[in-house]
PDB file of all heavy atoms in Angstrom:
ATOM      1  N   TRP S  10     106.899 119.760 134.150  1.00 96.00           N
ATOM      2  CA  TRP S  10     105.676 118.837 134.101  1.00 96.00           C
ATOM      3  C   TRP S  10     104.805 119.252 132.866  1.00 96.00           C
ATOM      4  O   TRP S  10     104.341 118.375 132.165  1.00 96.00           O
ATOM      5  CB  TRP S  10     104.837 119.143 135.319  1.00 96.00           C
ATOM      6  CG  TRP S  10     105.228 118.206 136.451  1.00 96.00           C
ATOM      7  CD1 TRP S  10     106.365 118.218 137.272  1.00 96.00           C
ATOM      8  CD2 TRP S  10     104.416 116.945 136.880  1.00 96.00           C
ATOM      9  NE1 TRP S  10     106.345 117.161 138.126  1.00 96.00           N
ATOM     10  CE2 TRP S  10     105.131 116.449 137.940  1.00 96.00           C
ATOM     11  CE3 TRP S  10     103.318 116.416 136.457  1.00 96.00           C
ATOM     12  CZ2 TRP S  10     104.721 115.291 138.633  1.00 96.00           C
ATOM     13  CZ3 TRP S  10     102.821 115.355 137.068  1.00 96.00           C
ATOM     14  CH2 TRP S  10     103.531 114.749 138.220  1.00 96.00           C
ATOM     15  N   THR S  11     104.684 120.506 132.693  1.00 96.00           N
ATOM     16  CA  THR S  11     103.666 120.961 131.595  1.00 96.00           C
ATOM     17  C   THR S  11     104.282 120.522 130.177  1.00 96.00           C
ATOM     18  O   THR S  11     103.627 119.983 129.279  1.00 96.00           O
ATOM     19  CB  THR S  11     103.598 122.542 131.549  1.00 96.00           C
ATOM     20  OG1 THR S  11     103.009 122.895 132.910  1.00 96.00           O
ATOM     21  CG2 THR S  11     102.628 122.951 130.491  1.00 96.00           C
ATOM     22  N   THR S  12     105.573 120.673 130.008  1.00 97.00           N
ATOM     23  CA  THR S  12     106.196 120.374 128.786  1.00 97.00           C
ATOM     24  C   THR S  12     106.261 118.897 128.607  1.00 97.00           C
ATOM     25  O   THR S  12     105.806 118.509 127.387  1.00 97.00           O
ATOM     26  CB  THR S  12     107.729 120.848 128.836  1.00 97.00           C
ATOM     27  OG1 THR S  12     107.635 122.336 129.004  1.00 97.00           O
ATOM     28  CG2 THR S  12     108.427 120.592 127.573  1.00 97.00           C
ATOM     29  N   VAL S  13     106.683 118.086 129.569  1.00 97.00           N
ATOM     30  CA  VAL S  13     106.710 116.703 129.344  1.00 97.00           C
ATOM     31  C   VAL S  13     105.413 116.024 129.219  1.00 97.00           C
ATOM     32  O   VAL S  13     105.154 115.003 128.473  1.00 97.00           O
ATOM     33  CB  VAL S  13     107.695 116.017 130.391  1.00 97.00           C
ATOM     34  CG1 VAL S  13     107.717 114.528 130.167  1.00 97.00           C
ATOM     35  CG2 VAL S  13     109.083 116.561 130.356  1.00 97.00           C
ATOM     36  N   SER S  14     104.430 116.541 129.939  1.00 95.00           N
ATOM     37  CA  SER S  14     103.100 116.045 129.851  1.00 95.00           C
ATOM     38  C   SER S  14     102.573 116.043 128.424  1.00 95.00           C
ATOM     39  O   SER S  14     101.519 115.384 128.147  1.00 95.00           O
ATOM     40  CB  SER S  14     102.113 116.734 130.893  1.00 95.00           C
ATOM     41  OG  SER S  14     101.766 117.917 130.402  1.00 95.00           O
ATOM     42  N   MET S  15     103.139 116.929 127.569  1.00 94.00           N
ATOM     43  CA  MET S  15     102.623 117.050 126.225  1.00 94.00           C
ATOM     44  C   MET S  15     102.789 115.666 125.471  1.00 94.00           C
ATOM     45  O   MET S  15     102.257 115.606 124.401  1.00 94.00           O
ATOM     46  CB  MET S  15     103.192 118.240 125.533  1.00 94.00           C
ATOM     47  CG  MET S  15     102.771 119.585 126.069  1.00 94.00           C
ATOM     48  SD  MET S  15     101.028 119.830 125.983  1.00 94.00           S
ATOM     49  CE  MET S  15     100.849 120.200 124.276  1.00 94.00           C
ATOM     50  N   ALA S  16     103.610 114.889 125.944  1.00 92.00           N
ATOM     51  CA  ALA S  16     103.848 113.574 125.339  1.00 92.00           C
ATOM     52  C   ALA S  16     102.591 112.799 125.373  1.00 92.00           C
ATOM     53  O   ALA S  16     102.430 111.834 124.577  1.00 92.00           O
ATOM     54  CB  ALA S  16     104.944 112.798 125.932  1.00 92.00           C
ATOM     55  N   TRP S  17     101.614 113.073 126.313  1.00 89.00           N
ATOM     56  CA  TRP S  17     100.429 112.343 126.455  1.00 89.00           C
ATOM     57  C   TRP S  17      99.226 113.082 125.971  1.00 89.00           C
ATOM     58  O   TRP S  17      98.229 112.947 126.393  1.00 89.00           O
ATOM     59  CB  TRP S  17     100.266 111.954 127.960  1.00 89.00           C
ATOM     60  CG  TRP S  17     101.222 110.974 128.379  1.00 89.00           C
ATOM     61  CD1 TRP S  17     100.983 109.610 128.329  1.00 89.00           C
ATOM     62  CD2 TRP S  17     102.438 111.158 128.868  1.00 89.00           C
ATOM     63  NE1 TRP S  17     102.114 108.992 128.775  1.00 89.00           N
ATOM     64  CE2 TRP S  17     102.974 109.822 129.200  1.00 89.00           C
ATOM     65  CE3 TRP S  17     103.182 112.272 129.166  1.00 89.00           C
ATOM     66  CZ2 TRP S  17     104.322 109.688 129.699  1.00 89.00           C
ATOM     67  CZ3 TRP S  17     104.502 112.086 129.824  1.00 89.00           C
ATOM     68  CH2 TRP S  17     105.027 110.876 130.022  1.00 89.00           C
ATOM     69  N   THR S  18      99.444 113.999 124.926  1.00 86.00           N
ATOM     70  CA  THR S  18      98.447 114.639 124.177  1.00 86.00           C
ATOM     71  C   THR S  18      98.508 114.367 122.764  1.00 86.00           C
ATOM     72  O   THR S  18      99.523 113.684 122.300  1.00 86.00           O
ATOM     73  CB  THR S  18      98.567 116.235 124.386  1.00 86.00           C
ATOM     74  OG1 THR S  18      99.728 116.577 123.772  1.00 86.00           O
ATOM     75  CG2 THR S  18      98.628 116.570 125.869  1.00 86.00           C
ATOM     76  N   GLU S  19      97.467 114.644 122.020  1.00 78.00           N
ATOM     77  CA  GLU S  19      97.441 114.394 120.607  1.00 78.00           C
ATOM     78  C   GLU S  19      98.286 115.282 119.870  1.00 78.00           C
ATOM     79  O   GLU S  19      98.693 114.897 118.745  1.00 78.00           O
ATOM     80  CB  GLU S  19      95.996 114.385 120.129  1.00 78.00           C
ATOM     81  CG  GLU S  19      95.212 113.166 120.660  1.00 78.00           C
ATOM     82  CD  GLU S  19      93.786 113.114 119.995  1.00 78.00           C
ATOM     83  OE1 GLU S  19      93.585 113.526 118.944  1.00 78.00           O
ATOM     84  OE2 GLU S  19      92.934 112.438 120.610  1.00 78.00           O
ATOM     85  N   ILE S  20      98.540 116.484 120.343  1.00 82.00           N
ATOM     86  CA  ILE S  20      99.237 117.572 119.456  1.00 82.00           C
ATOM     87  C   ILE S  20     100.765 117.566 119.832  1.00 82.00           C
ATOM     88  O   ILE S  20     101.582 117.942 118.908  1.00 82.00           O
ATOM     89  CB  ILE S  20      98.598 118.884 119.588  1.00 82.00           C
ATOM     90  CG1 ILE S  20      98.663 119.413 121.060  1.00 82.00           C
ATOM     91  CG2 ILE S  20      97.131 118.966 119.115  1.00 82.00           C
ATOM     92  CD1 ILE S  20      98.445 120.892 121.256  1.00 82.00           C
ATOM     93  N   GLY S  21     101.110 117.281 121.010  1.00 85.00           N
ATOM     94  CA  GLY S  21     102.637 117.511 121.329  1.00 85.00           C
ATOM     95  C   GLY S  21     102.970 118.874 121.276  1.00 85.00           C
ATOM     96  O   GLY S  21     102.174 119.780 121.435  1.00 85.00           O
TER      97      GLY S  21
END
Side-chain angles (χ1 to χ4, degrees):
W10 269 76
T11 302
T12 303
V13 178
S14 74
M15 293 301 285
W17 289 271
T18 65
E19 290 187 19
I20 61 163

